């Protein structure tokens, strides 16, 4: 970790250090606020203040600016190769975008589009490394507890949205646009978005909940059984009524990570009986729910219809759809303009200022959008940056697994795809890419008590320090060294 990411500073006594520690705590709570706003952002835009839906799209940005400011003051802002190279790519992309768009777009739409494009591609990503500097493993576990607790009302809300009519208030879209509805799942049902603006939110939230749920099951004493069972039931029901194949596949991918844990470190899984008990209880309860059966039927129809439409097998169709996100852009690399068409053009917000409404002007495919916006040189540099970071975090997660920590690999399984190929132009996808990857890195940072125990164990393993070899014999020391000073006096003779 230290070779790539800036280590968390150590604090000593003194007023200056105490003030610095307070600043770090402020950064900590601001990041917690960032995560909280990510979860309730859609609820604010849909139900609380729908008239402010467009400004609330970037509600986390002022918080992020304050986080960076306080992090600089506290001396914990990351200064590693990833952040520095990202800054260079971002700066060159902005300059090139202004040059390319300057002859076609007036000043105000140009600046708004380019700034939003910079915000989507670059501005939020340093928070990944900042979270690793401020959070530790204990903090990540506490955040996971709240995510599991929130999964219960999230599942209930998704069930209510699934059962309600598509035009009901609970299924309204952000901004309450007339005639706009959520995506349909079939059978007259919509894909419930929970507290988010779009179905992508529940997909990422369910995968994060699955990671913490499995960690709580596989590790003794982390989370109580009273929160694991209801959150597990809520997770399975939410995935069942989601109407989203991506949600089901993403959760199953996290579950499949348990096999990796068994293979790499079998002794880390010491709660197999507990896992079996919770699974039996969850399956018994869930199988009795009519809404779950209805949701599974809708999902099955979607899987079958998709396989028939693509004239291929179900699994082969999903695999082809996944790989297409990478191959489509790379096979057409020669068709992208050398300087790109400008940052932000491929986002819905950029399209709103350029053509008067939200639309995918370039492509819904993330890698294609990046290459269209920044060109094959800077675009590939940014995509390579994301790819290297993904593999680096995955490697560190495996190292942590070999050392006995299962939480990083579980969080990595929920974060790697959105980091690698998630639509950063969509604020929810960008937010979860940052938060999940940041939590993954932070879960590798041991708490102070664990670090002290590890140091003590290392000291015991090394044994007592060897006695130093004398540089001279005792006789030579008495002959050449000055006489020792004593506290004995000779009374008045010394006066």
């Amino acid at each position: 970790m230290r070779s790539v990411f800036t280590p968390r500073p150590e604090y000593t006594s003194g007023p200056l250090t105490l003030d610095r520690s307070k600043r770090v705590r402020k950064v900590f709570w601001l990041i917690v606020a960032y995560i909280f706003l990510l979860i309730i952002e859609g609820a604010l835009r849909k139900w609380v203040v729908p008239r402010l839906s467009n400004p609330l799209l970037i509600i986390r940005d002022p918080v992020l600016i304050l986080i960076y400011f306080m992090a600089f003051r506290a001396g914990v802002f990351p200064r590693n190769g990833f952040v520095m190279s990202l800054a260079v790519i971002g700066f060159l992309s902005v300059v090139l975008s202004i040059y390319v768009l300057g002859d076609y777009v007036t000043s105000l739409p140009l600046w708004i589009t380019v700034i939003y494009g910079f915000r989507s591609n670059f501005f939020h990503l340093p928070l990944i490394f900042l979270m690793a500097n401020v959070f530790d493993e204990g903090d990540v576990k506490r955040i996971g507890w709240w995510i599991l607790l929130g999964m219960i009302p999230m599942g209930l809300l998704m069930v209510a949205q699934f059962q309600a009519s598509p035009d009901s208030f609970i299924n309204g879209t952000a901004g309450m646009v007339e005639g706009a509805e959520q995506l349909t799942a079939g059978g007259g049902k919509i894909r419930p978005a929970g507290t988010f603006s779009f179905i992508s939110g529940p997909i990422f939230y369910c995968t994060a909940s699955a990671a913490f749920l499995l960690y709580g099951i596989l590790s003794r004493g982390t989370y109580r059984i009273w929160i694991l069972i209801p959150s597990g039931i809520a997770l399975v029901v939410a995935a069942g009524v989601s109407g989203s194949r991506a949600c089901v596949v993403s959760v199953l991918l996290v579950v499949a990570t348990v096999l990796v844990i068994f293979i790499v470190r079998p002794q880390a899984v010491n709660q197999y009986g507990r896992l079996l008990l919770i699974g039996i209880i969850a399956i018994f309860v869930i199988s009795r729910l009519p809404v779950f059966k209805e949701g599974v039927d809708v999902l099955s129809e979607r899987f079958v219809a998709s396989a028939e439409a693509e004239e291929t097998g179900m699994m082969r169709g999903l695999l082809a759809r996944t790989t297409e996100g990478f191959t489509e852009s790379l096979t057409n690399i020669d068709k992208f303009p050398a300087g790109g068409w400008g940052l932000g053009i491929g986002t819905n917000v950029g399209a709103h200022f350029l053509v008067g409404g939200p639309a995918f002007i370039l492509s819904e495919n993330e890698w294609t959008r990046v290459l269209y916006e920044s060109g094959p040189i800077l675009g590939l540099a940014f995509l390579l940056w994301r790819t290297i970071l993904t593999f680096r975090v995955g490697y560190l997660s495996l190292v942590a697994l070999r050392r006995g920590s299962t939480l990083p690999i579980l969080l990595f399984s929920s974060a790697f795809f959105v980091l690698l190929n998630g639509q950063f132009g969509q604020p929810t996808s960008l937010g979860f890419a940052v938060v999940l990857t940041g939590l993954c890195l932070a879960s590798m940072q041991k708490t102070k008590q664990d670090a002290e125990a590890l140091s003590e164990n290392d000291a015991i393993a090394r044994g007592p320090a060897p006695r130093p070899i004398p540089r001279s014999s005792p006789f030579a020391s008495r002959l050449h060294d000055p006489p020792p000073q004593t506290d004995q006096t000779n009374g008045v003779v010394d006066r």
Side-chain angles (χ1 to χ4, degrees), residues 6 23 40 45 49 93 95 110 123 126 129 131 140 160 169 173 180 235 237 247 274 288 296 336 370 379 423 443 488:
T6 306
R23 291 174 181 173
I40 69 164
R45 298 181 63 208
V49 279
S93 299
V95 173
L110 182 150
F123 185 56
F129 312 100
M131 290 177 67
V140 176
F169 173 79
T173 57
L235 170 62
V237 172
C247 183
R274 190 185 189 195
R288 303 282 179 173
V296 170
F336 301 108
V370 171
Q423 294 181 345
S443 65
Q488 182 180 356

Side-chain angles (χ1 to χ4, degrees), residues 84-102:
M84 298 303 178
S85 58
L86 182 70
V88 173
I89 299 172
F91 174 77
L92 294 177
S93 299
V94 169
V95 173
L96 186 61
S97 298
I98 294 174
Y99 174 78
V100 170
L101 292 174

Side-chain angles (χ1 to χ4, degrees), residues 45-46 50 169 171-177 180-182 197:
R45 298 181 63 208
K46 293 189 296 185
F169 173 79
N171 285 327
T173 57
M176 297 298 182
V177 180
E181 296 179 353
Q182 298 283 356
S197 303

Side-chain angles (χ1 to χ4, degrees), residues 40-339:
I40 69 164
E41 172 189 299
L44 297 176
R45 298 181 63 208
K46 293 189 296 185
W47 304 317
V48 181
V49 279
R51 295 182 181 274
L52 299 178
S53 175
N54 290 337
L56 290 175
L57 189 69
I58 55 173
I59 187 175
R60 287 174 281 116
D61 288 38
V63 178
L64 184 64
I65 294 173
L66 190 56
I67 289 173
Y68 287 165
F69 174 75
M70 295 301 300
F72 272 112
R73 293 189 63 191
V76 293
F77 189 86
R79 295 179 178 88
N80 55 56
F82 280 107
V83 174
M84 298 303 178
S85 58
L86 182 70
V88 173
I89 299 172
F91 174 77
L92 294 177
S93 299
V94 169
V95 173
L96 186 61
S97 298
I98 294 174
Y99 174 78
V100 170
L101 292 174
D103 295 334
Y104 305 100
V105 184
T106 56
S107 59
L108 184 58
L110 182 150
W111 280 103
I112 293 177
T113 302
V114 172
I115 290 175
Y116 186 81
F118 175 82
R119 174 254 183 212
S120 299
N121 285 8
F122 307 105
F123 185 56
H124 285 241
L125 295 181
L127 183 59
I128 294 174
F129 312 100
L130 180 56
M131 290 177 67
N133 287 349
V134 176
F135 288 2
D136 60 26
E137 185 183 31
D139 300 324
V140 176
K141 291 178 183 178
R142 284 186 284 272
I143 291 174
W145 187 91
W146 285 103
I147 289 178
L148 289 176
L149 183 65
M151 187 67 245
I152 301 173
M154 183 72 71
L156 294 174
L157 177 59
M158 292 178 66
V159 168
Q161 291 172 329
F162 179 78
Q163 293 180 322
S165 62
D167 57 350
S168 66
F169 173 79
I170 200 173
N171 285 327
T173 57
M176 297 298 182
V177 180
E178 188 69 24
E181 296 179 353
Q182 298 283 356
L183 292 178
T184 59
K189 301 295 184 179
I190 59 97
R191 304 181 202 178
T195 60
F196 301 94
S197 303
F198 195 66
I199 183 59
S200 60
I203 293 175
F204 303 133
Y205 192 90
C206 285
T207 55
S209 299
F212 284 109
L213 177 68
L214 288 173
Y215 177 72
I217 293 173
L218 299 177
S219 58
R220 183 186 298 273
T222 302
Y223 304 125
R224 297 296 180 89
I225 196 75
W226 67 263
I227 193 174
L228 292 176
I229 291 180
S231 60
I233 294 174
L235 170 62
V236 177
V237 172
V241 303
S242 66
S244 170
R245 293 174 295 168
C247 183
V248 176
V249 173
S250 299
V251 172
L252 291 178
L253 184 62
V254 177
V255 175
T257 309
V258 177
L259 297 177
V260 179
I261 298 174
F262 268 114
I263 294 172
V264 176
R265 193 175 177 85
Q267 61 270 35
V269 185
N270 54 13
Q271 292 291 297
Y272 183 76
R274 190 185 189 195
L275 173 63
L276 183 62
L277 175 62
I278 294 177
I280 293 174
I281 295 175
I283 292 174
F284 177 79
V285 174
I286 294 169
S287 63
R288 303 282 179 173
L289 300 176
V291 67
F292 179 75
K293 297 179 181 178
E294 186 179 4
V296 170
D297 291 339
V298 172
L299 265 175
S300 300
E301 292 178 3
R302 288 206 65 217
F303 275 103
V304 173
S306 176
E308 293 177 351
E310 297 171 356
E311 297 182 353
T312 183
M314 188 180 303
M315 295 305 299
R316 185 179 299 178
L318 288 172
L319 182 61
R321 183 181 178 185
T322 302
T323 56
E324 184 181 349
F326 305 98
T327 58
E328 176 188 343
S329 56
L330 298 179
T331 54
N332 299 299
I333 193 70
D334 57 326
K335 299 179 181 179
F336 301 108

